[in-house]
Amino acid sequence: MKYDLKQFTLEEKLRLLTGKDSWRLYDANGKLPEVFLADGPHGVRKVVDGQTLVATAMPNISALTNSWDPSLAYLDGETIGDECIARDVDVLLALGVNIKRTPLCGRNFEYSSEDPFLAGAMAKAYIEGVQSKGVGTSLKHFALNNREYERLAQSSEVDDRTFHEIYLPAFETVLEAKPWTVMCSYNPVNGIWASENEKLLKGVLRDELGYNGLIVSDWNAVHHSGKAAKATLDLRMPSTWDDTAVNELKEGLNEGWLTEEEIDERVCKVLELVEKKVNADKTKKSVKTKEENHAAAVKIAQDSIVLLKNEDDILPLKGGRIAIGGQFAAKPPFGGGGSALVNSDYAPRNLAEELSERLGDGATVEFIRDYSDTVHQARIRHTSSLLSAAYEADTVVLCVGSNAQMDGEDFDRTTIRLSPVHEDIILNTAKYNKNVVVVIYGGGAVDMRAWIGQVKAVVFAGFLGEGGQEAVADVLSGKVNPSGKLSETFPLCLEDTPTGADTGNGFVERYAEGVLVGYRWYDTKGKDVLFPFGHGLSYADFEYSDLAIEKKSETDYEVSFTVKNVSAVDGKEISQVYVRDVMATVERPEKELKGFAKTTLKAGESKRVCIALNARSFAFWSPALEKWYVESGAFEIYVGASSRDIRLCGKIEIDLPKKDQYCKAFKA
Ligand code: GLC
């Protein structure tokens, strides 16, 4: 189905560049079918007459990324795509791939990782999953929207090398999946609104990265439609509900700095989006039941849970008297707040019931109702009942952390500690019971220094969607062996992070740490951390051996090694491959993730893992050359169970033709 520009008057063409209302494209007086856009990354949020339709709340992408399993990201996208069809949504406004630059960012629950390689791999699979159903997506927020503070006004100031090495690669990788749209961010980038930043939208996204689809604004991110069209933004959302947008386009035409040819280019992108919808409508079909979608949510959640600490192998729970308390034991938060919120009608059982069912007669599981979120008096009653139960129990499980009121769009966290109430509950319980297991819900890193030494085990659940309660019970009971690993560093404290408590001054924030984001910062600066990037325990133990690095070309190598499950329980192991440029003419991070694999291994089983490295695995972005550049010299290849648990190490020497090499200043 092809639409011809000639079918439309100039007035219709100008109107096509702005939404009809909050969620629909303009239909050009009925010449076009309705195209409906809806959030969000963790489930469909379709608002009709002010009501949000019910949908399945899937694990948040921040939790899902802890699975390091692209096949689960694909399943996640496919599941949400299916529900889009059932609710007549043509384009899902997902996925966000902004890098987790600071753990304070309120929307970190909507983002994958501090590492662009991992973020890109997981997001690409998600986009492919959604679009496999014939539903479009919106890769967002382009670009450099890395905190919520003053997100509508504060300019993100970044140098060219940092932009290319940290903030662009995830977008670059996901563009391989051909998302139907890319959404520009609210914030200015190096001083110019993203929505009218021609160097960003045309220069980088279209010309450099080769994107030729539709660019849509974030909602109300356009400040002048004429300037946005000039920068090659195609669609302003939502409607301006008056002639503002059309008049701003006419202003550009009348003053001569915008041409009708440029308008036509933008209109063609809108028509191409409509054509994609019309073509998809011929075959797309919703085939999944609500129960199947819930089961998918549970399955993904199971492998997204990260076992951070497990002293004395207290987990999996062995039985005996178990007390379950904490604010989230009855109903865990499904996800963070804002446009990504999902209206799920799923009512989970409390964790005690779920555990009781799994542990059987060998356990007596007591649920202590929580009052953390109520008035002081009730809380005292709760604490006394929890403490007396703790005194009697063999093990206590406390479910704490944050929820949609604490992790959400449009505001940032002010601390990365748990709330004082939750810290108190943990510390007071630990006074009466030495076997405390803490389950943490939330969108990102937590400073646990105040209490972690008093507890035996810590499980990071993140925001697992509506299947979280079942998944946590599966892991605590041992029905599922935890296999998640952290996709962001958990620092000892906020002060140790690259940006600390800084927020920018409301007008400008300089990305002064450059490429040293996340583990790149902590490892290069030699800082201790609470739990490193890529960390996660299992009920099984894995050994690594027989590293081989096969040279395929001067810059292409195949890294292979053997992983063995040396325990008596089946499990899954996430192996990570990092590269270190031993000596470079620019400052490079101590190591960078350039490959990973998740391997299922039965008790006693060994498997050979192979991971390919190519030129981009060794290259840095050279602002001088304005391209990716591999410098001859030695590189170390690390194979790790985490970024700080390196099991195998190899070394290669790259020797490229002198004509392609440049002056080599040695490190001081
Ligand atoms: C919001 C968000 C964006 C969302 C859009 C529509 O402000 O920034 O992620 O898709 O507006 O709700």
Side-chain angles (χ1 to χ4, degrees), residues 393-428:
D394 299 307
T395 311
V396 184
V397 177
L398 296 175
C399 302
V400 295
S402 63
N403 55 19
Q405 284 67 49
M406 300 158 81
D407 281 22
E409 180 178 346
D410 213 16
F411 61 90
D412 290 327
R413 298 198 284 176
T414 54
T415 174
I416 59 173
R417 293 179 61 164
L418 296 177
S419 68
V421 170
H422 288 179
E423 287 194 345
D424 285 351
I425 282 178
I426 294 168
L427 290 168
N428 289 329

Short mmCIF file of all heavy atoms in Angstrom, two decimals, residues 393-428:
data_model
loop_
_atom_site.label_atom_id
_atom_site.label_comp_id
_atom_site.label_asym_id
_atom_site.label_seq_id
_atom_site.Cartn_x
_atom_site.Cartn_y
_atom_site.Cartn_z
N ALA A 393 11.29 -17.57 64.99
CA ALA A 393 11.46 -18.24 63.68
C ALA A 393 12.89 -18.74 63.48
O ALA A 393 13.83 -18.25 64.11
CB ALA A 393 11.11 -17.26 62.56
N ASP A 394 13.02 -19.72 62.56
CA ASP A 394 14.37 -20.16 62.15
C ASP A 394 14.95 -19.18 61.12
O ASP A 394 16.14 -18.94 61.07
CB ASP A 394 14.27 -21.56 61.53
CG ASP A 394 13.72 -22.57 62.53
OD1 ASP A 394 14.31 -22.64 63.63
OD2 ASP A 394 12.71 -23.22 62.24
N THR A 395 14.06 -18.65 60.27
CA THR A 395 14.51 -17.74 59.21
C THR A 395 13.45 -16.65 59.03
O THR A 395 12.25 -16.91 59.21
CB THR A 395 14.63 -18.50 57.87
OG1 THR A 395 15.37 -19.69 58.08
CG2 THR A 395 15.30 -17.64 56.80
N VAL A 396 13.91 -15.44 58.71
CA VAL A 396 12.98 -14.34 58.44
C VAL A 396 13.26 -13.81 57.03
O VAL A 396 14.42 -13.61 56.66
CB VAL A 396 13.15 -13.18 59.44
CG1 VAL A 396 12.10 -12.11 59.17
CG2 VAL A 396 13.02 -13.69 60.87
N VAL A 397 12.22 -13.64 56.25
CA VAL A 397 12.35 -13.04 54.91
C VAL A 397 11.67 -11.68 54.94
O VAL A 397 10.49 -11.56 55.31
CB VAL A 397 11.68 -13.92 53.83
CG1 VAL A 397 11.77 -13.24 52.47
CG2 VAL A 397 12.34 -15.30 53.78
N LEU A 398 12.41 -10.63 54.57
CA LEU A 398 11.86 -9.27 54.59
C LEU A 398 11.84 -8.73 53.17
O LEU A 398 12.87 -8.74 52.48
CB LEU A 398 12.74 -8.36 55.46
CG LEU A 398 12.81 -8.72 56.95
CD1 LEU A 398 13.80 -7.80 57.67
CD2 LEU A 398 11.42 -8.62 57.59
N CYS A 399 10.68 -8.25 52.73
CA CYS A 399 10.51 -7.73 51.36
C CYS A 399 10.42 -6.21 51.42
O CYS A 399 9.42 -5.67 51.92
CB CYS A 399 9.26 -8.31 50.73
SG CYS A 399 9.29 -10.11 50.68
N VAL A 400 11.45 -5.55 50.95
CA VAL A 400 11.55 -4.09 51.08
C VAL A 400 11.99 -3.46 49.76
O VAL A 400 12.10 -4.17 48.75
CB VAL A 400 12.57 -3.73 52.18
CG1 VAL A 400 12.11 -4.19 53.54
CG2 VAL A 400 13.94 -4.33 51.85
N GLY A 401 12.24 -2.17 49.78
CA GLY A 401 12.73 -1.50 48.57
C GLY A 401 11.88 -0.30 48.19
O GLY A 401 11.32 0.38 49.04
N SER A 402 11.74 -0.08 46.89
CA SER A 402 10.98 1.09 46.44
C SER A 402 9.82 0.64 45.56
O SER A 402 9.72 -0.52 45.18
CB SER A 402 11.89 2.06 45.70
OG SER A 402 12.40 1.48 44.54
N ASN A 403 8.97 1.62 45.24
CA ASN A 403 7.80 1.31 44.41
C ASN A 403 7.57 2.47 43.45
O ASN A 403 8.43 3.33 43.31
CB ASN A 403 6.57 1.07 45.30
CG ASN A 403 6.33 2.27 46.21
OD1 ASN A 403 6.81 3.36 45.96
ND2 ASN A 403 5.59 2.03 47.30
N ALA A 404 6.41 2.48 42.81
CA ALA A 404 6.16 3.48 41.77
C ALA A 404 6.12 4.90 42.32
O ALA A 404 6.30 5.86 41.59
CB ALA A 404 4.85 3.16 41.05
N GLN A 405 5.90 5.00 43.61
CA GLN A 405 5.90 6.35 44.22
C GLN A 405 7.34 6.84 44.44
O GLN A 405 7.57 8.03 44.57
CB GLN A 405 5.17 6.32 45.57
CG GLN A 405 3.65 6.25 45.45
CD GLN A 405 3.18 4.92 44.85
OE1 GLN A 405 3.61 3.86 45.28
NE2 GLN A 405 2.34 4.99 43.83
N MET A 406 8.28 5.91 44.47
CA MET A 406 9.66 6.30 44.77
C MET A 406 10.56 6.25 43.54
O MET A 406 11.56 6.95 43.46
CB MET A 406 10.22 5.38 45.85
CG MET A 406 9.43 5.44 47.15
SD MET A 406 9.67 3.96 48.13
CE MET A 406 11.22 4.35 48.92
N ASP A 407 10.23 5.39 42.57
CA ASP A 407 11.00 5.31 41.31
C ASP A 407 10.02 5.63 40.19
O ASP A 407 9.10 4.85 39.93
CB ASP A 407 11.52 3.87 41.09
CG ASP A 407 12.76 3.58 41.92
OD1 ASP A 407 12.94 4.27 42.92
OD2 ASP A 407 13.52 2.67 41.56
N GLY A 408 10.23 6.80 39.57
CA GLY A 408 9.25 7.15 38.55
C GLY A 408 9.74 8.24 37.64
O GLY A 408 10.80 8.84 37.85
N GLU A 409 8.96 8.46 36.61
CA GLU A 409 9.25 9.50 35.62
C GLU A 409 9.05 10.88 36.23
O GLU A 409 8.20 11.07 37.09
CB GLU A 409 8.29 9.31 34.46
CG GLU A 409 8.45 10.32 33.35
CD GLU A 409 7.52 10.06 32.20
OE1 GLU A 409 6.93 8.96 32.15
OE2 GLU A 409 7.35 10.95 31.37
N ASP A 410 9.89 11.80 35.78
CA ASP A 410 9.74 13.22 36.11
C ASP A 410 10.31 13.59 37.47
O ASP A 410 10.19 14.73 37.89
CB ASP A 410 8.26 13.63 36.04
CG ASP A 410 8.14 15.08 35.57
OD1 ASP A 410 9.15 15.59 35.04
OD2 ASP A 410 7.10 15.70 35.76
N PHE A 411 10.92 12.64 38.16
CA PHE A 411 11.64 13.00 39.39
C PHE A 411 12.77 12.02 39.61
O PHE A 411 12.70 10.89 39.12
CB PHE A 411 10.70 13.03 40.62
CG PHE A 411 10.04 11.71 40.91
CD1 PHE A 411 10.63 10.77 41.76
CD2 PHE A 411 8.81 11.39 40.33
CE1 PHE A 411 10.03 9.55 42.02
CE2 PHE A 411 8.20 10.16 40.59
CZ PHE A 411 8.80 9.23 41.44
N ASP A 412 13.79 12.43 40.30
CA ASP A 412 14.92 11.54 40.58
C ASP A 412 14.90 11.12 42.04
O ASP A 412 14.22 11.74 42.86
CB ASP A 412 16.26 12.26 40.29
CG ASP A 412 16.46 12.47 38.80
OD1 ASP A 412 16.01 11.61 38.01
OD2 ASP A 412 17.04 13.50 38.41
N ARG A 413 15.66 10.09 42.36
CA ARG A 413 15.84 9.70 43.75
C ARG A 413 16.78 10.72 44.40
O ARG A 413 17.61 11.31 43.72
CB ARG A 413 16.45 8.30 43.84
CG ARG A 413 15.59 7.20 43.24
CD ARG A 413 16.04 5.83 43.73
NE ARG A 413 17.26 5.35 43.10
CZ ARG A 413 17.84 4.19 43.48
NH1 ARG A 413 17.36 3.48 44.47
NH2 ARG A 413 18.91 3.77 42.87
N THR A 414 16.66 10.89 45.69
CA THR A 414 17.58 11.80 46.39
C THR A 414 18.62 10.99 47.18
O THR A 414 19.56 11.54 47.71
CB THR A 414 16.79 12.69 47.37
OG1 THR A 414 16.02 11.83 48.21
CG2 THR A 414 15.86 13.63 46.61
N THR A 415 18.37 9.71 47.28
CA THR A 415 19.32 8.84 47.97
C THR A 415 19.26 7.47 47.30
O THR A 415 18.27 7.15 46.65
CB THR A 415 18.96 8.69 49.47
OG1 THR A 415 19.83 7.70 50.04
CG2 THR A 415 17.52 8.20 49.63
N ILE A 416 20.30 6.66 47.48
CA ILE A 416 20.22 5.30 46.97
C ILE A 416 20.12 4.31 48.14
O ILE A 416 20.27 3.11 47.97
CB ILE A 416 21.40 4.94 46.05
CG1 ILE A 416 22.75 5.08 46.75
CG2 ILE A 416 21.35 5.78 44.78
CD1 ILE A 416 23.91 4.57 45.88
N ARG A 417 19.88 4.86 49.35
CA ARG A 417 19.61 3.96 50.49
C ARG A 417 18.15 3.57 50.50
O ARG A 417 17.30 4.25 49.89
CB ARG A 417 19.98 4.67 51.81
CG ARG A 417 21.46 4.93 51.94
CD ARG A 417 21.80 5.65 53.22
NE ARG A 417 21.41 4.89 54.42
CZ ARG A 417 21.90 5.18 55.63
NH1 ARG A 417 22.74 6.21 55.78
NH2 ARG A 417 21.52 4.49 56.69
N LEU A 418 17.85 2.50 51.23
CA LEU A 418 16.44 2.17 51.47
C LEU A 418 15.85 3.25 52.37
O LEU A 418 16.58 4.02 53.00
CB LEU A 418 16.34 0.81 52.18
CG LEU A 418 16.84 -0.42 51.41
CD1 LEU A 418 16.72 -1.65 52.30
CD2 LEU A 418 16.07 -0.59 50.11
N SER A 419 14.54 3.27 52.47
CA SER A 419 13.91 4.25 53.36
C SER A 419 14.32 3.93 54.80
O SER A 419 14.60 2.77 55.14
CB SER A 419 12.38 4.14 53.24
OG SER A 419 11.95 2.90 53.79
N PRO A 420 14.35 4.94 55.67
CA PRO A 420 14.71 4.68 57.07
C PRO A 420 13.81 3.62 57.71
O PRO A 420 14.27 2.79 58.49
CB PRO A 420 14.51 6.05 57.73
CG PRO A 420 14.68 7.03 56.61
CD PRO A 420 14.15 6.35 55.38
N VAL A 421 12.53 3.62 57.33
CA VAL A 421 11.61 2.61 57.90
C VAL A 421 12.08 1.22 57.53
O VAL A 421 12.16 0.31 58.36
CB VAL A 421 10.17 2.86 57.39
CG1 VAL A 421 9.26 1.70 57.77
CG2 VAL A 421 9.63 4.16 57.95
N HIS A 422 12.44 1.04 56.25
CA HIS A 422 12.87 -0.30 55.81
C HIS A 422 14.22 -0.67 56.43
O HIS A 422 14.43 -1.82 56.83
CB HIS A 422 12.94 -0.34 54.28
CG HIS A 422 11.58 -0.35 53.64
ND1 HIS A 422 11.39 -0.37 52.28
CD2 HIS A 422 10.34 -0.34 54.18
CE1 HIS A 422 10.11 -0.37 52.01
NE2 HIS A 422 9.44 -0.34 53.15
N GLU A 423 15.10 0.29 56.54
CA GLU A 423 16.40 -0.02 57.18
C GLU A 423 16.17 -0.42 58.63
O GLU A 423 16.75 -1.39 59.12
CB GLU A 423 17.34 1.18 57.07
CG GLU A 423 17.88 1.41 55.67
CD GLU A 423 19.06 2.39 55.65
OE1 GLU A 423 19.29 3.09 56.67
OE2 GLU A 423 19.78 2.42 54.64
N ASP A 424 15.26 0.28 59.31
CA ASP A 424 14.99 -0.03 60.72
C ASP A 424 14.41 -1.43 60.85
O ASP A 424 14.79 -2.20 61.74
CB ASP A 424 14.00 0.98 61.31
CG ASP A 424 14.66 2.33 61.57
OD1 ASP A 424 15.92 2.39 61.45
OD2 ASP A 424 13.95 3.30 61.86
N ILE A 425 13.49 -1.77 59.97
CA ILE A 425 12.88 -3.10 60.05
C ILE A 425 13.96 -4.18 59.94
O ILE A 425 13.98 -5.15 60.70
CB ILE A 425 11.83 -3.27 58.92
CG1 ILE A 425 10.54 -2.55 59.28
CG2 ILE A 425 11.54 -4.75 58.64
CD1 ILE A 425 9.47 -2.62 58.21
N ILE A 426 14.89 -3.98 59.02
CA ILE A 426 15.95 -4.97 58.83
C ILE A 426 16.83 -5.05 60.08
O ILE A 426 17.09 -6.12 60.63
CB ILE A 426 16.80 -4.62 57.59
CG1 ILE A 426 15.97 -4.73 56.32
CG2 ILE A 426 18.03 -5.53 57.51
CD1 ILE A 426 16.64 -4.12 55.09
N LEU A 427 17.26 -3.89 60.56
CA LEU A 427 18.19 -3.86 61.70
C LEU A 427 17.53 -4.40 62.96
O LEU A 427 18.13 -5.19 63.71
CB LEU A 427 18.70 -2.43 61.91
CG LEU A 427 19.65 -1.93 60.82
CD1 LEU A 427 19.87 -0.43 60.95
CD2 LEU A 427 20.98 -2.68 60.86
N ASN A 428 16.27 -4.04 63.18
CA ASN A 428 15.58 -4.52 64.39
C ASN A 428 15.34 -6.03 64.30
O ASN A 428 15.55 -6.76 65.26
CB ASN A 428 14.25 -3.79 64.58
CG ASN A 428 14.48 -2.34 64.98
OD1 ASN A 428 15.48 -2.05 65.66
ND2 ASN A 428 13.63 -1.44 64.54
#
